[in-house]
Amino acid sequence: MARPFTVMGIVNVTPDSFSDGGLWLDEAEAVAHGFRLAQEGAGILDVGGESTRPGAEPVSEAQELRRVLPVIEGLAQRLPGTPLSIDTMKLAVAQAALAAGARLVNDVSAFRADPRLAGLVADAGCDCCLMHMQGEPGTMQVDPHYDDVVTQVAAFLEERAAFAVAEGVDPARILLDPGIGFGKTTAHNLALLRGLDRIVALGFPVLVGVSRKRFLGELALREDPHDRVAAGVAANVLAYERGASVFRVHDVAPTLDGLRVAAGTLTADD
Ligand code: HH2
């Protein structure tokens, strides 16, 4: 049987996200967008109210709550069968999102921005995604450096998972993410995708977020993020082949096509 995978559709309720900033700021538009992504086959929707693109400005708690809460509530109502994820580093935002029906806390700081998120996830019994990032979004792309990026990212994720478990999070509820594009050059991103099996070997499901990111533009010679869809499908297929199981994307339908072909090909019993 094909190894299962889930496509996570991105719903950015932000004015400044790098590829879709401002498109879904209106609550009804954002809910409609999430609905479309679910119809295309997204198995989970990730709602975010703060851009983490390189150089992005932080957003206040009140502002982030105003952006994401109505959208989580609207999606929970319209799509009761589709799990919702909240992309946040803030305790109050995660708390409110869980109360409104979210089931996964996607924290790009891996519980470093606010370690109390670990206790929240433990008490709620929900899922969490712990991502690697070198530096802060404001400055992370200024000369990132590693001696051995795969070894260092794997060690970081192992330590963060151990922290979460020590805080009471059920290990079966943890996803790990190498943090493609977060304090990484193109060479670092490619080394991580090539060496993804070493992160998979930590024993947790692995999520990857390559969608429309800059390294794809560099490789495929595509300046406009919207022209990076095929490049992203290629990277996601390779990540699946190396063991990733959740794929965070803006473009759900083409990603599903690619992953279905990859899954069918890798498991063909002839
Ligand atoms: N990437 C982005 C945001 N959240 N979460 C996880 N777990 N993994 C990722 O790779 C990841 C993430 C950045 O992409 P996007 O949401 O499209 O842009 P922005 O941060 O500008 O809103």
Side-chain angles (χ1 to χ4, degrees):
M1 210 183 70
R3 194 165 53 75
F5 56 82
T6 303
V7 172
M8 171 187 261
I10 302 172
V11 182
N12 278 328
V13 198
T14 56
D16 55 347
S17 286
F18 77 96
S19 85
D20 54 358
L23 284 180
W24 330 115
L25 250 186
D26 176 77
E27 167 195 331
E29 285 291 330
V31 172
H33 180 60
F35 189 78
R36 269 194 304 274
L37 296 182
Q39 279 189 318
E40 285 182 30
I44 181 163
L45 295 173
D46 188 38
V47 179
E50 178 176 41
S51 172
T52 46
R53 78 182 153 74
E57 290 293 326
V59 169
S60 76
E61 181 181 294
Q63 172 83 299
E64 200 177 324
L65 273 171
R66 266 197 303 278
R67 289 179 183 171
V68 297
L69 247 202
V71 176
I72 299 261
E73 286 167 354
L75 287 172
Q77 199 181 18
R78 251 187 107 178
L79 295 166
T82 303
L84 302 175
S85 158
I86 176 69
D87 186 347
T88 190
M89 296 185 263
K90 297 190 183 74
L91 184 72
V93 176
Q95 246 162 355
L98 292 176
R103 293 201 223 156
L104 188 156
V105 175
N106 175 22
D107 180 0
V108 299
S109 84
F111 298 157
R112 289 178 300 159
D114 190 339
R116 292 173 301 173
L117 273 169
L120 176 72
V121 167
D123 291 343
C126 66
D127 295 328
C128 62
C129 179
L130 307 177
M131 194 195 81
H132 176 272
M133 164 164 52
Q134 187 181 82
E136 306 290 325
T139 52
M140 67 190 177
Q141 288 308 109
V142 182
D143 197 24
H145 178 82
Y146 301 83
D147 293 325
D148 175 341
V149 67
V150 181
T151 302
Q152 284 173 256
V153 168
F156 170 90
L157 292 174
E158 190 170 26
E159 186 278 324
R160 288 286 84 198
F163 169 79
V165 172
E167 294 293 306
V169 177
D170 178 351
R173 297 272 175 201
I174 298 174
L175 291 154
L176 299 181
D177 180 345
I180 298 297
F182 285 82
K184 286 148 190 123
T185 62
T186 292
H188 295 142
N189 291 326
L190 297 179
L192 282 166
L193 288 174
R194 252 193 327 274
L196 207 60
D197 48 334
R198 287 180 50 202
I199 292 168
V200 171
L202 295 174
F204 299 91
V206 169
L207 181 152
V208 287
V210 300
S211 193
R212 300 185 184 175
K213 284 182 179 170
R214 189 189 324 214
F215 80 105
L216 296 173
E218 266 179 45
L219 288 173
L221 309 177
R222 297 288 187 183
E223 190 61 37
D224 183 344
H226 296 93
D227 294 335
R228 299 173 185 164
V229 180
V233 172
N236 277 316
V237 162
L238 287 166
Y240 173 78
E241 193 266 341
R242 280 160 173 71
S245 44
V246 184
F247 302 85
R248 182 182 181 277
V249 297
H250 303 86
D251 306 287
V252 169
T255 305
L256 259 180
D257 282 359
L259 291 172
R260 284 178 177 145
V261 170
T265 307
L266 292 169
T267 54
D269 45 359
D270 49 7

